[in-house]
Amino acid sequence: MERTLSIIKPDGVKRGLIGEVVRMLEQNNLDIVAMKMLHMTKKQAEGFYAVHRERPFFESLTDFMSSGPAIVMVLEGDNAITRYRDLMGATDCREAAEGTIRKAFATDIEQNVVHGSDAPETASFEIAYFFNRFEIIR
Ligand code: CMP
């Protein structure tokens, strides 16, 4: 069993895609073991994406991520990190495969509806960034 952090980004919430994304998670046996809605401050977004601090898109990304409410979830399942990344599809939606969340819904390389942790170490950091152990079931 593995856990990963999922975010439905502000574009996904604004466009009414919470249900669609959750349905795809459920259909793919990624169990939701924690979930909440929050509106990140600019500082919270900067801390979350600290690894991207030097990237040219950091300013715009953290503005976007703090522009409205998002849904943060902890997903659990066998090989959950890789399975969820496969379900999301490529960061750039023009490269996303058929059947993926980003192929279906994303409009832009930045406003790409969802986020998922990319490795076990980042998953631990990202889960702890938003949830304490009493907020995660099991
Ligand atoms: P995410 O999977 O959350 O990880 C970092 C985010 O930065 C990514 O999704 C996009 O929202 C954004 N991002 C990545 N690459 C670019 C890029 N080249 N231009 C703009 N935004 C990007």
Side-chain angles (χ1 to χ4, degrees):
M1 277 295 169
E2 193 173 64
R3 285 176 175 172
T4 189
L5 185 87
S6 164
I7 303 179
I8 305 177
K9 297 184 180 184
D11 61 325
V13 173
K14 212 168 288 170
R15 292 169 56 211
L17 298 173
I18 299 170
E20 302 280 356
V21 173
V22 167
R23 187 179 58 80
M24 289 174 84
L25 298 174
E26 290 174 334
Q27 282 179 339
N28 284 274
N29 299 312
L30 287 159
D31 294 339
I32 300 168
V33 295
M35 184 176 198
K36 61 187 167 193
M37 181 178 262
L38 49 78
H39 187 153
M40 274 182 243
T41 63
K42 174 85 169 162
K43 283 223 169 335
Q44 285 171 326
E46 286 169 354
F48 182 76
Y49 280 118
V51 291
H52 295 308
R53 190 172 287 129
E54 305 304 325
R55 302 285 196 94
F57 55 81
F58 183 71
E59 203 48 43
S60 164
L61 172 63
T62 52
D63 280 344
F64 162 54
M65 291 301 288
S66 58
S67 69
I71 299 288
V72 290
M73 291 175 275
V74 180
L75 309 180
E76 186 176 83
D78 287 331
N79 205 18
I81 294 171
T82 303
R83 286 202 298 118
Y84 178 49
R85 288 186 71 78
D86 289 347
L87 179 62
M88 285 193 299
T91 302
D92 184 346
C93 58
R94 293 169 300 188
E95 289 163 19
E98 219 45 69
T100 63
I101 295 171
R102 285 166 172 162
K103 176 71 181 183
F105 303 118
T107 53
D108 187 281
I109 192 166
E110 179 174 272
Q111 307 218 358
N112 58 1
V113 184
V114 281
H115 167 83
S117 313
D118 62 4
E121 309 73 53
T122 38
S124 300
F125 167 80
E126 292 181 355
I127 290 168
Y129 198 80
F130 292 116
F131 294 96
N132 70 48
R133 64 198 165 96
F134 302 110
E135 295 174 310
I136 303 171
I137 62 156
R138 271 172 241 179

